[in-house]
Amino acid sequence: MTATAQLTRSVEDYLKSIFHLTNQGGFATTSDIAAMLEIAPPSVSGMVKRLSETGLIEHVPYRGVQLTPQGRRAALQMIRRHRILEVYLTQQLGYDWGDVHEEAERLEHAVSEKLIEKMAGALGDPRYDPHGAPIPTAAGDIEEAELFTLADAKIGASIIVRQGGDDDAARLRYLAALGLTPGTHLTVLERQPFNGPTTVRSGSETRVVGQELAEQLWCAEVGGGGNR
Amino acid sequence: MTATAQLTRSVEDYLKSIFHLTNQGGFATTSDIAAMLEIAPPSVSGMVKRLSETGLIEHVPYRGVQLTPQGRRAALQMIRRHRILEVYLTQQLGYDWGDVHEEAERLEHAVSEKLIEKMAGALGDPRYDPHGAPIPTAAGDIEEAELFTLADAKIGASIIVRQGGDDDAARLRYLAALGLTPGTHLTVLERQPFNGPTTVRSGSETRVVGQELAEQLWCAEVGGGGNR
DNA sequence: TCTGTTTATTAGCTTAGCCTAATACCCTGT
DNA sequence: ACAGGGTATTAGGCTAAGCTAATAAACAGA
Ligand SMILES: [Mn+2]
Ligand SMILES: [Mn+2]
Ligand SMILES: [Mn+2]
Ligand SMILES: [Mn+2]
């Protein structure tokens, strides 16, 4: 029934950012949104006003914003588009893991629903994007997973790499070179004190992962949650 | 050397329109551009001013505009993108002949050069779009053809259908149903007076084509120009 | 509790692109 | 040569989306 007026590129990107920032619960703050979109905070204040007037978000002044059900639906639709595009570019057009995000970030606003579903069909309705993130269904459902970063993984734990972030091509290439791609099984061997590196074993290989990298490498318990 | 600043969607569509309107020589007038883009003439006057300031077009007040070499390059690049997208959607994703134009009209502004060349490669560097229009090369060369409409074809001539227009899905479906797709060979049998229909033979079939349709069905002499 | 710092909002501006209404220009027929 | 009609431009306004500078609110440390 909602008269889904065509959203602009900016609005779509705001909704996605707010979704990501509130995914673990709580509010998305003005400055978090500004940082994520690389724009000035006052610009966010302005947009927040418009988005709450159109009912896509709820704004609590000086606290932050959350998506309304309508806003959440729109955000999940964009995330679906983005991730299907990433899989398509990787699998059908030989794109590199690290390069798809930027391309998808633009294309997500231009593709029709019809094209996305054709792509999804050609790919056999993939459930994860190339970075390991789950793809929402066309109906707007998304898999929830209990993830922690490698920097927080317990020593001795058996874990599986789930997501390596999607926006830094150089980091993704480095992770791929280390063999730390989504789906890889790891055993956590040790972690040096004072925010030192974590050592993991993958099959017969041993890798030392610096703290900065480990903090952005999301993992799940083996056997926990849905399977890949 | 030209510091190719990123053009906006609007600017790209203006340049394409001006290219099409000046392809047979002469100027594109304000009202022609306005009609083609479905916007008001004063909006065109405003954009014309900006485009000529940035050196993409040459404006002769009260006469019209023409593309500069720089503007022509940009226009041909967009036309290449558009047509490659149309072929890709048709051949790789099962799109209908009549539906690709609209999708390409949006995507052309969002795809990277890299993606277009990947698509072109996957297709074996196609030379014509699904409507029969030639695809400019990456270097910016485009095939020139001597085309006339079926309404102007001489009685008795052997001709080949080249282009059926690209923007009206219903008309394209009707043309396809008649078997009048690009590449079809025809013999012109007769034309009724007072702007009456033209009768053609295609293989063993005979078709009667009304004047309105015939005026938008572009054809070439058999043996003339480049081959399909 | 006060006060300084951080964070958010408001005020005021800019640019791109569109619009309508008013005006200016060009051309053609008399 | 000139009057009308059509086309183009100018004038003036609007919305989306960004910016900086100024102000207000919230928070945290003493
Ligand atoms: Mn991504
Ligand atoms: Mn985006
Ligand atoms: Mn087209
Ligand atoms: Mn377009």
Side-chain angles (χ1 to χ4, degrees):
Chain A
M1 289 306 113
T2 324
T4 313
Q6 187 46 34
L7 304 177
T8 65
R9 180 187 167 148
S10 267
V11 166
E12 289 173 340
D13 281 336
Y14 271 90
L15 294 178
K16 277 203 312 173
S17 292
I18 294 166
F19 179 90
H20 292 309
L21 290 168
T22 54
N23 204 21
Q24 319 295 337
F27 289 83
T29 66
T30 296
S31 42
D32 284 349
I33 298 169
M36 188 167 283
L37 294 173
E38 300 183 73
I39 59 184
S43 307
V44 174
S45 284
M47 179 64 97
V48 156
K49 193 189 211 169
R50 264 181 297 149
L51 292 182
S52 55
E53 276 162 10
T54 54
L56 290 161
I57 65 176
E58 202 71 54
H59 181 210
V60 181
Y62 292 97
R63 275 258 144 53
V65 302
Q66 287 181 313
L67 296 173
T68 61
Q70 192 194 150
R72 184 184 156 89
R73 252 194 313 281
L76 282 166
Q77 188 181 47
M78 293 313 296
I79 291 167
R80 174 172 171 81
R81 291 177 178 203
H82 182 100
R83 293 183 178 167
I84 298 260
L85 281 162
E86 288 188 338
V87 179
Y88 193 90
L89 293 171
T90 305
Q91 304 216 327
Q92 302 291 129
L93 285 161
Y95 259 73
D96 191 85
W97 200 38
D99 297 337
V100 289
H101 179 76
E102 190 192 344
E103 189 87 42
E105 199 55 61
R106 277 175 287 106
L107 286 172
E108 62 190 1
H109 311 287
V111 294
S112 68
E113 218 42 45
K114 177 177 166 184
L115 177 52
I116 284 299
E117 296 317 319
K118 291 225 183 223
M119 286 180 168
L123 295 163
D125 286 308
R127 299 184 48 206
Y128 298 90
D129 83 5
H131 315 101
I135 299 176
T137 64
D141 298 313
I142 187 167
E143 175 191 307
E144 301 289 339
E146 299 282 315
L147 299 184
F148 47 87
T149 72
L150 180 59
D152 295 325
K154 296 193 196 74
I155 304 300
S158 272
I159 62 177
I160 184 169
V161 177
R162 276 302 180 79
Q163 301 177 30
D166 63 359
D167 55 358
D168 183 336
R171 191 177 71 227
L172 289 172
R173 260 189 291 280
Y174 183 65
L175 286 175
L178 285 183
L180 298 175
T181 53
T184 305
H185 284 258
L186 301 176
T187 305
V188 184
L189 299 182
E190 64 163 322
R191 181 174 303 112
Q192 291 177 27
F194 306 112
N195 297 323
T198 303
T199 307
V200 296
R201 190 178 59 232
S202 166
S204 55
E205 304 272 353
T206 294
R207 304 285 185 203
V208 181
V209 183
Q211 208 242 358
E212 194 177 326
L213 215 55
E215 278 181 340
Q216 294 185 275
L217 196 63
W218 294 86
C219 305
E221 302 271 357
V222 163
N227 71 347
R228 282 286 278 112
Chain B
M1 288 304 112
T2 324
T4 311
Q6 187 46 30
L7 304 177
T8 65
R9 179 186 168 151
S10 266
V11 166
E12 289 174 339
D13 281 336
Y14 272 91
L15 294 177
K16 276 203 313 174
S17 292
I18 295 166
F19 178 90
H20 292 309
L21 290 168
T22 55
N23 204 20
Q24 319 294 337
F27 289 84
T29 66
T30 297
S31 43
D32 284 350
I33 298 168
M36 187 167 284
L37 294 173
E38 299 183 67
I39 57 183
S43 307
V44 174
S45 284
M47 179 63 97
V48 156
K49 192 189 212 166
R50 266 181 295 151
L51 292 181
S52 56
E53 278 163 8
T54 53
L56 291 160
I57 65 176
E58 200 71 54
H59 181 209
V60 181
Y62 292 98
R63 277 257 145 52
V65 302
Q66 287 181 313
L67 296 173
T68 61
Q70 191 195 148
R72 184 184 155 89
R73 253 195 312 281
L76 282 166
Q77 189 181 46
M78 292 313 295
I79 291 167
R80 175 173 170 80
R81 290 177 179 205
H82 181 99
R83 294 185 177 166
I84 298 252
L85 281 162
E86 289 189 337
V87 179
Y88 192 89
L89 293 172
T90 305
Q91 305 216 327
Q92 302 292 128
L93 285 162
Y95 259 72
D96 192 85
W97 200 38
D99 297 337
V100 288
H101 178 76
E102 190 193 344
E103 189 89 40
E105 199 55 61
R106 276 176 286 107
L107 286 172
E108 62 190 359
H109 311 288
V111 294
S112 68
E113 218 43 45
K114 176 177 168 185
L115 177 53
I116 285 298
E117 295 317 319
K118 291 227 184 221
M119 286 181 170
L123 296 163
D125 286 308
R127 299 183 49 207
Y128 298 90
D129 83 5
H131 314 101
I135 298 176
T137 65
D141 297 312
I142 187 169
E143 175 193 307
E144 301 287 340
E146 300 280 316
L147 300 185
F148 47 88
T149 73
L150 180 58
D152 295 325
K154 295 193 197 78
I155 305 301
S158 272
I159 63 177
I160 183 170
V161 177
R162 277 303 179 76
Q163 301 177 32
D166 62 1
D167 54 358
D168 182 337
R171 191 177 71 229
L172 290 171
R173 261 188 290 279
Y174 183 67
L175 287 175
L178 283 182
L180 298 175
T181 52
T184 306
H185 285 258
L186 302 176
T187 306
V188 184
L189 299 182
E190 64 162 320
R191 180 174 304 110
Q192 289 179 25
F194 305 111
N195 298 322
T198 303
T199 307
V200 296
R201 190 178 58 234
S202 166
S204 56
E205 304 270 355
T206 295
R207 302 286 185 202
V208 181
V209 184
Q211 208 241 358
E212 195 179 324
L213 216 55
E215 278 181 339
Q216 294 186 275
L217 195 63
W218 294 86
C219 304
E221 301 270 357
V222 163
N227 71 344
R228 283 288 273 112

